[in-house]
């Protein structure tokens, strides 16, 4: 899968605190890349930094974000404005509350089209608005409805319709369905993924709910303390997560299939940026921590077709090698 977006060694600072450490990730054409982690893990910060939406005092001291060969971090504001919505669209957390309450849904979609497609006639814009609403499963007569006349799920679908209005290549979804009940969540995400198959865009899907990612992503990157600690195909993470934090996350959400099991949760809290633990930032919470874990940070290394940052991988390798080498 050729990448449409490549994040290379990206770091993000808030003043003297480092919120994202040297992250490299790529997004393939038509792929859904899930970013998982508890709040404060750096997943949204990473996505906002990569699309230059980071609010001050956040800043990017190093890294590159390549989109069609151009580094987004080096573009002017004008070049960026041209790119946003048309090539890269974002559905924010709680976006359904971002609709203007005193303007009809149709007029709000019309605004987006008028601003970015000035050559379209009024009739073409109305037709496109109707098309977009039916794409996301809303009856077209709802074009004249005001946001308060729609359910939360419908409002979020309208936001998705607006994100797709200009046929972007990449859609970034930041906790897009967190405020909705689980049934509506799955309906909306399922529909989004079907649209992805027909329209061909790529998705970066950010959520703390790893069970949604397992269901709807092709590949998952799990973040902890501002670093990617495991990255693998979604099915592989579900089958056998290698990093103890990934295993903890999986044990914190109900399984989609198989027998019922007790939810375990992860003891303790995510680390505070102001006082990050030494070594592996997960070591105070890790059930498998070794002595080295509190002293040195493991790097993200390739392991069996995935990438993992954990000292246990070295131990596993040693355990596998020892019996063979001793005959
Ligand atoms: Fe646990 Fe150590 Fe692996 Fe960190 S490096 S996840 S503390 S075993």
């Amino acid at each position: 899968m050729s990448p449409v977006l490549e994040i290379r060694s990206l770091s993000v600072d808030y003043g003297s605190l480092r919120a994202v450490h040297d992250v490299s990730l790529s997004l393939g054409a038509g792929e859904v890349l899930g970013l998982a982690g508890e709040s404060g893990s750096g997943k949204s910060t990473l996505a906002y930094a990569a699309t230059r939406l980071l609010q001050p005092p956040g800043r990017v001291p190093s890294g590159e974000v390549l989109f069609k060969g151009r580094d987004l971090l080096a573009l002017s504001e004008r070049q960026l404005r041209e790119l946003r919505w048309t090539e890269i669209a974002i559905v924010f957390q709680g976006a359904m509350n971002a609709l203007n309450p005193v303007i009809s849904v149709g007029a709000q979609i019309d605004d987006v089209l008028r601003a970015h497609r000035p050559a379209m006639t009024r009739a073409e814009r109305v037709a496109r608005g109707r098309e977009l609403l039916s794409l996301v499963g809303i009856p077209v007569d709802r074009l004249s409805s005001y946001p308060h006349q729609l359910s939360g799920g419908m409002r979020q679908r309208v936001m998705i319709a607006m994100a797709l209005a200009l046929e972007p290549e990449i859609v970034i979804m930041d906790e897009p369905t967190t405020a909705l009940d689980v049934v509506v969540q799955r309906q909306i995400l399922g529909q989004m993924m079907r649209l992805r198959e027909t329209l061909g865009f790529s998705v970066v899907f950010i959520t703390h709910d790893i069970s949604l990612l397992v269901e709807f992503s092709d590949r998952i990157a799990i973040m902890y303390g501002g670093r990617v600690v495991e990255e693998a195909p979604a099915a592989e993470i579900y089958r056998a997560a290698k990093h103890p934090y990934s295993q903890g996350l999986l044990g914190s959400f109900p399984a989609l299939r198989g027998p019922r099991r007790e939810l375990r949760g992860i003891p303790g809290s995510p680390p505070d940026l102001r006082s990050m633990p030494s070594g592996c930032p997960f070591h105070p919470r890790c059930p498998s921590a070794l002595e080295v874990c509190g002293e040195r940070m493991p790097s993200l290394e390739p392991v069996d077709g995935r990438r993992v940052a954990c000292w246990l991988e070295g131990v596993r390798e040693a355990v596998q090698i020892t019996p063979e080498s001793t005959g």
Side-chain angles (χ1 to χ4, degrees), residues 243-245 280 282-283 286 288-290 293 298 309-312:
H243 195 282
Y245 179 61
C280 169
F282 189 53
H283 86 262
C286 180
S288 317
L290 310 166
C293 300
C310 178
W311 291 120
L312 280 182

Side-chain angles (χ1 to χ4, degrees), residues 19-319:
V20 171
H21 297 254
D22 195 23
V23 169
S24 296
L25 281 174
S26 69
L27 174 68
E31 184 183 38
V32 181
L33 171 68
L35 282 184
E38 292 162 293
S39 67
S41 61
K43 55 193 191 305
S44 298
T45 304
L46 170 71
Y48 293 164
T51 46
R52 296 263 302 270
L53 285 168
L54 202 61
Q55 295 296 317
R59 66 178 197 95
V60 177
S62 56
E64 281 184 329
V65 181
L66 299 179
F67 173 71
K68 293 185 175 172
R70 293 198 295 174
D71 183 3
L72 295 185
L73 303 183
L75 296 185
S76 68
E77 274 303 321
R78 190 182 58 78
Q79 289 169 318
L80 262 182
R81 268 199 304 277
E82 282 166 11
L83 217 99
R84 285 204 193 113
W85 287 100
T86 53
E87 304 265 29
I88 302 176
I90 302 177
V91 181
F92 292 104
Q93 203 168 359
M96 58 189 181
N97 300 320
L99 288 168
N100 189 326
V102 294
I103 300 179
S104 71
V105 162
Q108 297 191 51
I109 296 178
D110 191 70
D111 275 352
V112 174
L113 295 172
R114 221 162 7 143
H116 294 274
R117 296 277 189 272
M120 279 177 99
T121 63
R122 169 144 179 77
E124 285 169 340
R125 293 198 304 271
V126 172
R128 178 71 176 142
R130 295 167 75 88
E131 187 186 13
L132 285 166
L133 278 202
S134 21
L135 264 186
V136 295
I138 299 181
V140 292
D141 59 1
R142 289 300 200 150
L143 265 186
S144 55
S145 297
Y146 288 85
H148 71 272
Q149 296 172 314
L150 305 177
S151 65
M154 276 181 154
R155 292 204 301 274
Q156 195 63 322
R157 285 173 204 261
V158 170
M159 291 308 294
I160 291 173
M162 286 167 73
L164 299 179
L166 306 171
E167 300 178 347
E169 288 218 18
I170 298 174
V171 180
I172 295 176
M173 305 200 300
D174 184 12
E175 304 272 8
T177 55
T178 303
L180 305 171
D181 69 64
V182 286
V183 176
V184 178
Q185 266 190 15
R186 284 193 154 72
Q187 281 172 353
I188 293 184
L189 291 172
Q191 193 165 35
M192 186 75 183
M193 297 317 156
R194 286 192 293 278
L195 287 176
R196 187 257 316 211
E197 273 159 31
T198 31
L199 303 177
F201 53 83
S202 312
V203 179
V204 178
F205 180 13
I206 304 164
T207 178
H208 63 283
D209 184 343
I210 196 168
S211 67
L212 286 178
L213 290 186
V214 164
E215 199 173 342
F216 294 108
S217 309
D218 297 311
R219 206 153 42 90
I220 300 178
I222 294 176
M223 293 190 67
Y224 189 81
R227 300 171 195 270
V228 172
V229 294
E230 180 162 8
E231 186 212 344
E236 287 298 299
I237 295 257
Y238 182 63
R239 191 182 61 79
K242 283 191 184 283
H243 195 282
Y245 179 61
S246 316
Q247 293 163 358
L249 272 187
L250 279 168
S252 308
F253 289 92
L256 300 169
R257 298 178 198 89
R260 280 192 196 180
R261 57 176 170 74
E262 203 180 321
L263 297 184
R264 277 175 276 114
I266 306 172
S269 324
D272 183 341
L273 275 188
R274 289 163 301 184
S275 53
M276 285 295 264
S278 58
C280 169
F282 189 53
H283 86 262
R285 305 171 75 189
C286 180
S288 317
L290 310 166
E291 209 173 314
V292 63
C293 300
E295 293 157 11
R296 290 195 293 133
M297 175 68 210
S299 54
L300 192 62
E301 298 291 341
V303 181
D304 303 336
R306 58 177 96 188
R307 295 192 296 162
V308 187
C310 178
W311 291 120
L312 280 182
E313 286 314 308
V315 174
R316 283 188 194 126
E317 208 169 295
V319 169

